[in-house]
Amino acid sequence: MLSCVMKWRYCLGAAVLASMLWLIYAHALDGPFVFDDFGNIISNDQLRIDELSVQTLGAAMTSKDSGPLGRPISMVSFALNYYFLGPSGWGFKLVNLVIHMINSVLVYLLIALVFRAYQQVNEVRVKVSAAAIFLGAVIWSIHPLNLTSVLFVVQRMTSLCALFMLLGMVLYLWQRSRSIEQGEMGVGAQLLCISCVAVFTLLSTLSKEMGLLLPGFVVITEVLILRGRALNMSRSPLVWVMVLSVICGVLVAAGMVFDWHKYSLAKLDEIYRSRPFSLEERLLTEARVMWFYVSQIWLPDITQMGLHHDDLPLSKSLFDPVSTLYAVIAWTVIGLGLLVSVCLRKWSLLCFGLLWFLWGHSMESTVVPLEIAHEHRNYVPMIGFAFLWVAIIHQLSVLFSQKVVLTVVVLIVMVFASATYSRAMNWRGWGELAFAEVARHPKSARSQHELARWYFAQLLQEERTPENVNYRKSREHFELAIKADRSNPAGIYALFRLNNIVGLPVEPQWIDELEDRLLNEVITSEHAVNLVDWLRCV
């Protein structure tokens, strides 16, 4: 494996991939911090370290409570970023881009190893070309849906988690592929695989809790691609560890239903009280959201993409909206089809890609009371479709002229790259991004609020009068934000401040609206933070 990696064409491919990513993203590295960047990075004093010591790094690691474990590896990476490259967004986004470049190379290696193992196990004579594998990895790396994992600084948590997951998968598959070549896998090699997966699961989980999915990816790969080849099924420690992992997963899932642990549905229901949606509404809505993700992965439309997707309507029932019913039926059919295919050992590559995608979403797009939709959640799951892209390119190359097929795919890559470049152009400045987000998501409360903040900032630098166009524009977009989301009163507090700036009194209807929302709407965590900030201002 190492000798293959060292061959010049692999190094050249990695260089070409890195160059493409640099050309796409370099012009946007000076862009602004956004959204959760402020709470996790900008306002986090413990990240601004001026010396490297156990005390400063320890304080940085425990500085936030993002997730149950605090994500200490991600947090310490932000502190090191500040120490070596300073507080500017350029340094933080540069590191994000480098991580994405490394991940892109790892995705290429992972795809190559998966198809190598598939061919070994199934004794396929016609091998998948290196060009098809490379193009599959390129499509994933330059896909416009992955932009927020690069330019949205705090989503380093996602890309860093993916880095360790990919390293674990690549090393595992490399060792397993060698054992298949040799015809047998010794106990020592199996223990090495187990240790590798355990270590990288830990590192990945301490970057973001999604890292807990790594053992599941290993099991999916073993069942559908490797099929236990070169293992003594009755006496293999690797097999027994996988069986125990599956049993533990089943027990954890059962515990959620029967209230056996603190992450049960009963406990989560308490957390859902601080969300403007219920568990049932979230699950029904996610059925539609997952199809939105699939559509954007296969036919990306940057006019539908955005930093925020808070304008997606909730599914109140199976029939409200009726598209919920269609989405649920479609996923049910796919689930049954996967079950039958896996049992009959048919369509293993297709099942592998789909199960990878679904397993990748099993934590963030199911019962956990997170926000409804974010694009960065597809960073790892989309790799499942990269396997399918390679299989499609290979199959078309067998049926038609390979040169014609590769030319068409290269053109598709260029379209994807131009879409990502165009989208990255909007991230060069605060105003550009705010205008672009509102243009694409006019019903998004957060997007409207951010554009209003931009106009507010312009007003502070000019004559502060009610006649100033920036006052009128800021007020207009704050009011649109208020109208778009009743669970978020941030725009009302902003209007209080806005009128104060220009010497106008608070309007009575704003007070009535705030009182109504405080009495009748869910007090979300974001709502509480806005209220406390306003009280401090007062």
Side-chain angles (χ1 to χ4, degrees), residues 9-65:
R9 66 176 181 269
Y10 291 94
C11 297
L12 178 61
V16 169
L17 190 53
S19 299
M20 288 180 63
L21 290 171
W22 178 260
L23 290 173
I24 289 171
Y25 285 108
H27 64 288
L29 297 182
D30 283 320
F33 289 100
V34 296
F35 194 35
D36 286 343
D37 289 343
F38 293 99
N40 287 280
I41 300 172
I42 303 301
S43 303
N44 191 345
D45 294 335
Q46 291 172 303
L47 297 184
R48 293 196 282 272
I49 61 175
D50 52 14
E51 64 173 352
L52 296 180
S53 67
V54 174
Q55 289 75 20
T56 58
L57 294 178
M61 292 175 72
T62 58
S63 60
K64 295 297 290 186
D65 57 354

Side-chain angles (χ1 to χ4, degrees), residues 167-183:
L167 280 170
M169 285 298 302
V170 165
L171 292 173
Y172 178 84
L173 274 166
W174 171 50
Q175 185 64 42
R176 286 289 285 120
S177 185
R178 286 184 61 193
S179 70
I180 293 172
E181 284 182 348
Q182 296 165 1

Side-chain angles (χ1 to χ4, degrees), residues 228 260 450 499 532:
W260 292 344
E450 194 62 21
N499 267 23
V532 170

Side-chain angles (χ1 to χ4, degrees), residues 1 5 10 102-118 133 136-137 140 162-174 177 214 217-218 221 225-226 349 352 356 379-384 386-387 390:
M1 177 62 190
V5 174
Y10 291 94
I102 297 171
N103 286 345
S104 299
V105 175
L106 290 173
V107 166
Y108 170 66
L109 293 175
L110 176 62
I111 295 173
L113 285 167
V114 165
F115 277 93
R116 178 187 178 188
Y118 179 79
I133 294 172
W140 178 86
L163 173 66
F164 293 122
M165 294 178 77
L166 289 168
L167 280 170
M169 285 298 302
V170 165
L171 292 173
Y172 178 84
L173 274 166
W174 171 50
S177 185
L214 176 56
F217 286 125
V218 172
T221 306
I225 301 298
L226 301 170
L349 273 175
F352 177 67
W356 183 290
Y379 194 74
V380 172
M382 188 162 54
I383 298 172
F387 299 118
V390 174

Side-chain angles (χ1 to χ4, degrees), residues 359-425:
W359 179 250
H361 275 291
S362 63
M363 184 176 291
E364 294 184 302
S365 299
T366 53
V367 300
V368 180
L370 304 172
E371 294 185 357
I372 294 296
H374 280 295
E375 292 171 8
H376 62 261
R377 293 176 186 169
N378 292 279
Y379 194 74
V380 172
M382 188 162 54
I383 298 172
F385 289 137
F387 299 118
L388 301 186
W389 295 330
V390 174
I392 291 170
I393 294 170
H394 169 69
Q395 193 61 38
L396 291 175
S397 298
V398 172
L399 297 175
F400 306 102
S401 167
Q402 185 178 31
K403 289 184 178 179
V404 172
V405 171
L406 293 180
T407 300
V408 171
V409 175
V410 168
L411 291 175
I412 293 173
V413 167
M414 293 174 64
V415 171
F416 278 33
S418 63
T420 307
Y421 179 87
S422 175
R423 195 178 174 201
M425 290 283 286

Side-chain angles (χ1 to χ4, degrees), residues 431-494:
E432 292 170 280
L433 180 59
F435 277 102
E437 290 294 310
V438 166
R440 291 169 180 166
H441 293 275
K443 294 183 179 180
S444 165
R446 285 174 175 164
S447 298
Q448 293 287 358
H449 188 91
E450 194 62 21
L451 182 55
R453 284 185 64 245
W454 184 82
Y455 280 117
F456 189 102
Q458 311 313 305
L459 174 65
L460 294 178
Q461 300 175 30
E462 299 174 358
E463 186 178 4
R464 302 177 184 182
T465 64
E467 292 74 28
N468 191 310
V469 66
N470 288 311
Y471 166 77
R472 296 198 301 273
K473 285 290 186 180
S474 183
R475 174 170 174 157
E476 174 189 346
H477 288 284
F478 278 134
E479 289 175 340
L480 287 170
I482 294 168
K483 182 180 179 181
D485 184 4
R486 285 194 54 81
S487 69
N488 190 350
I492 301 177
Y493 304 131

